[in-house]
Amino acid sequence: MFVKGTFFLWVVGFSQALNFPMTYTCATNARQQYDMFFPVLCPKGCASRTYGVWGNGVYTRDSSICRAAIHDGRITDEGGEVIVYQQPGQISYVGVDKHSIKSSSYGYYRGSFTFTPKIPDSPITCDTAIEDKRFELLTDFQITCPPGCLDSPGKVYGNAIYSYHSSICTAAIHDEKLSNEGGEVAVYTQPGQASYKGIKRNSVTSSDWKYSHISFSFTPDVIGVDDPPVSCFITGLDTRFTVQASLNLTCPPGCVSFEEGVWGSGVYTEDTAICRAAIHDGRLTNEEGGIVTFYRQLGQSSYIGLEKNSIKSSPYGYWRRSFSFEAKTPDPPDCTTTAEDSRFFKEKRFQFSCLPSCAETTKAIWGNVLYTTDSSICKAAIHDGRLLNGDGGIVTVYIQPGQHSYDGTERNSVKSLPHGPSSLSFSFTVNGTDYPDSTTASPDQPGGRNDDALYALIIIPVLLVIIFGVLLWRTCQRRRRYMRFSDV
């Protein structure tokens, strides 16, 4: 009862706090507050003030709340309401220039605040690399490195220009920008390099590395940084593509033999290898390579997996950015997509990523186990028991010969309809059936799984009765023999 009452008071207090935000000035910081969370109504014009902000996403407790809210994208310079959450102190805070406000880096500070209930970022460590999602899309930023990184296992690749998966703090010692005592350092992203040469400097041994799509350095302009040659490794994440809507690339021959990932068909996830995707899409041949036009696209809800032109792509769910080789992309796959989609033309097998809740789509399905090709793929997958409606997921689709007729059934809360002859079908098994005796048997028809279950329900109790009867008979026989010898 006490717990319920406490929870009720907490909820009431939270709702009241949200309903009655206090008006703050641009100078106000979180040191004057002791509540775990509280609303703040920020005034207009804080962006032009000079009150300090330290951090990115997580801010030191003495940072200006309203200027930090603008920096974090929660409000504009017109002011507005935000909710501030007190957080534990962090080992270090990253300084970033965002939304016309430059925050500073800082080392350990005893208290923090955020604008989300959970701390979004982990502290900077000796292992932190530029591939950390906190630095995504940033061209330059500042971090505060902890002491002792010479003793860290963090790897370093390169010299003056380092590959994106190198430890930033260890690389800073290698580049003579920091000592083993740690401290603040500025980091600048650079174009990827065809290769990185390792060398031992300042007690740090860096290693050689092959092509990387992003590099970094500790000076804004590094001599010798040129646009890297396009290779089979290059992906849409390359920094050259982050500001250009389209770009012509010359791909080398022989990319089929590489193992760089490809996700999608027609539209590919941003981290797909571009030249391999171009071969998959039929834009280039493996033997010759050549020029291809790359177009940046918005993220898709799901991506199709197909094997084409000796390259197998994989399906995927939502990914935030995409690319294609046409200015206009085909419609993204969704709950209404059927096996008659032009992307599956002449395909005998493909993988498809289904969204959740496709059972509610108005697109019909026809058949049972074998479905007409104009049926919704994802709705049929739920009907066939391959997916749960609330989860979605990836299914493998097999194109099958047409049938003379298709039965309609209701399974897994999805109703399919009967249908006459159709030229092609699809299923979710290689041979178009789960049932060895008949290609038309189903769980809801004679010869299907429900009859087998019924037989099992009848046979098992009968067997148990027989076994129990035999045991009882043997016990009685032993009892009679014992009584006979006892009389003697």
Side-chain angles (χ1 to χ4, degrees), residues 128-429:
T128 301
I130 199 173
E131 60 184 333
D132 190 295
K133 62 182 178 62
R134 286 174 285 182
F135 311 132
E136 186 179 18
L137 301 180
L138 297 179
T139 56
D140 62 271
F141 54 91
Q142 291 177 303
I143 63 171
T144 300
C145 292
C149 286
L150 279 178
D151 305 320
S152 166
K155 301 296 184 182
V156 178
Y157 304 91
N159 177 38
I161 307 170
Y162 301 91
S163 71
Y164 78 105
H165 54 303
S166 298
S167 160
I168 299 175
C169 295
T170 311
I173 298 174
H174 182 271
D175 203 46
E176 300 182 346
K177 297 299 184 292
L178 292 179
S179 69
N180 197 40
E181 297 300 315
E184 185 176 301
V185 67
V187 183
Y188 302 87
T189 57
Q190 304 288 358
Q193 303 293 291
S195 63
Y196 299 80
K197 184 67 177 176
I199 187 173
K200 184 173 182 179
R201 292 173 62 191
N202 305 313
S203 303
V204 174
T205 301
S206 70
S207 303
D208 295 341
W209 190 252
K210 58 185 180 181
Y211 170 80
S212 175
H213 64 279
I214 298 176
S215 312
F216 69 91
S217 68
F218 300 101
T219 54
D221 300 309
V222 183
I223 298 175
V225 174
D226 301 314
D227 284 342
V230 173
S231 71
C232 299
F233 297 105
I234 201 168
T235 73
L237 291 170
D238 191 287
T239 53
R240 291 175 295 172
F241 311 143
T242 58
V243 294
Q244 293 183 262
S246 63
L247 193 70
N248 290 330
L249 304 176
T250 303
C251 291
C255 287
V256 165
S257 61
F258 287 79
E259 297 182 356
E260 296 302 302
V262 176
W263 293 270
S265 180
V267 184
Y268 301 89
T269 63
E270 185 187 35
D271 58 341
T272 290
I274 297 174
C275 294
R276 283 173 50 80
I279 298 172
H280 181 270
D281 204 46
R283 308 290 170 165
L284 302 176
T285 64
N286 181 57
E287 293 74 18
E288 298 180 0
I291 299 174
V292 67
T293 304
F294 160 97
Y295 295 90
R296 294 180 66 211
Q297 306 288 358
L298 297 174
Q300 305 289 296
S301 55
S302 63
Y303 298 81
I304 300 164
L306 289 177
E307 186 168 353
K308 293 165 57 179
N309 303 316
S310 303
I311 290 180
K312 182 177 180 179
S313 74
S314 301
Y316 205 81
Y318 169 76
W319 189 256
R320 61 188 179 277
R321 284 185 292 272
S322 316
F323 70 83
S324 69
F325 302 104
E326 293 184 358
K328 185 179 184 301
T329 63
D331 292 333
D334 57 22
C335 295
T336 64
T337 303
T338 73
E340 292 181 339
D341 191 291
S342 60
R343 286 167 284 191
F344 310 133
F345 181 62
K346 294 185 178 179
E347 297 296 333
K348 295 298 182 185
R349 172 183 178 274
F350 58 90
Q351 289 181 297
F352 196 81
S353 181
C354 290
L355 303 173
S357 304
C358 281
E360 283 78 33
T361 181
T362 57
K363 180 66 178 177
I365 62 171
W366 294 269
N368 180 41
V369 181
L370 287 165
Y371 302 90
T372 63
T373 50
D374 56 345
S375 299
S376 160
I377 294 172
C378 296
K379 193 172 183 179
I382 297 168
H383 181 270
D384 202 50
R386 306 293 164 172
L387 297 178
L388 294 175
N389 180 47
D391 294 344
I394 295 170
V395 292
T396 303
V397 179
Y398 300 86
I399 302 299
Q400 306 288 357
Q403 304 293 297
H404 293 296
S405 63
Y406 298 81
D407 294 322
T409 64
E410 185 168 351
R411 295 168 60 192
N412 303 313
S413 302
V414 174
K415 184 174 183 180
S416 71
L417 302 174
H419 199 281
S422 178
S423 58
L424 288 172
S425 314
F426 73 85
S427 69
F428 301 101
T429 56

Side-chain angles (χ1 to χ4, degrees), residues 445-463:
Q445 295 175 331
R449 298 176 192 168
N450 285 358
D451 284 345
D452 293 340
L454 182 61
Y455 295 150
L457 289 174
I458 296 173
I459 292 172
I460 291 175
V462 170
L463 290 175

